[in-house]
Amino acid sequence: MSFPHNADLHCHSVVSDGTLTPEQLAARARANGVDLWSLTDHDEVGGQQRALEAARAEGLRYLTGVEVSVTFADETVHIVGLGFDHTDPRLAEGLADTRDGRGPRAVEMGEQLARVGIAGAYEGALRYVGNPRLISRTHFARFLVETGVCRDTAEVFRRYLVEGKPGYVPHRWARLGDAVRWITQSGGVAVIAHPARYDISPTVEYALFSEFKQHGGQAVEVITGSHTAAEAARYAAMAREFGLAASRGSDFHSPDESHTDLGQLPPLPADLTPVWTLLANRIH
Ligand code: AMP
Ligand code: MN
Ligand code: MN
Ligand code: MN
């Protein structure tokens, strides 16, 4: 069978908001038949060396990965980077700046939740944080489930932590062009993550794809754990229209929370250029 047979280029570890370690993810990826893997923690490359070594130990090929939080037209969008040099200092600095506001934002989220009668959420969320530099809404969601405020994390994100609901603190993330440049200048390829998940108009979406491409972005996730078949078809068409390569990743976070497990995804449409063909010399 030709390589890769089963690429999964999007998931999270305890270094951001996943619940498994890089080593546990590598073992799970191998057990699920993944042969090309990438760990893409939010705004953080602190898990890359461990992931690289764990992949080697499991016999998996590996591309370095990251998922950068970006503010575009007042909306949060995510840009995945693949195949960059994870020791690049400019990338490290950009990611450090992007992470910077997370602490104060989390304190404010806790204060908002306290005002609607949910006490101790900041301290509670902190108990789930594996990396003190990276506290996210997911950690609050786990606390709200554990304390019985909500049944599952999906309910948390319906009732809390999203725009218009208690616990939502607007935040300005990295700029699109900066995120793309941190990735490309360190030798990687930038990828628009899960494009169907953004609450943006077709006009803003067109602007996102156009500007992403102008900044040097080269790929889009067509197959992800959060795309329906219709959404995959829609973004396959966008990839053709904008001349972008296609990526494939589960966005796996946790055995208890994620609907799509590592490697359990449909294939990329056969006519699209797989993103890893742009990264042949970056595969470990
Ligand atoms: P943050 O970067 O702190 O804004 O947190 C974003 C993270 O929250 C995402 O990466 C997801 O892991 C999680 N998230 C956002 N929306 C949802 C949702 N509707 N259901 C479950 N998890 C979500
Ligand atoms: Mn996440
Ligand atoms: Mn994302
Ligand atoms: Mn993700």
Side-chain angles (χ1 to χ4, degrees), residues 10 12 42 67 78 193-194 198 251 253:
H10 189 150
H12 299 273
H42 296 286
E67 181 174 20
H78 286 170
H194 45 63
Y198 307 131
D251 205 0
H253 282 70

Side-chain angles (χ1 to χ4, degrees), residues 127-139:
R127 289 209 311 274
Y128 293 89
V129 169
N131 171 2
R133 302 186 295 195
L134 209 296
I135 181 163
S136 88
R137 287 184 289 163
T138 312
H139 302 112

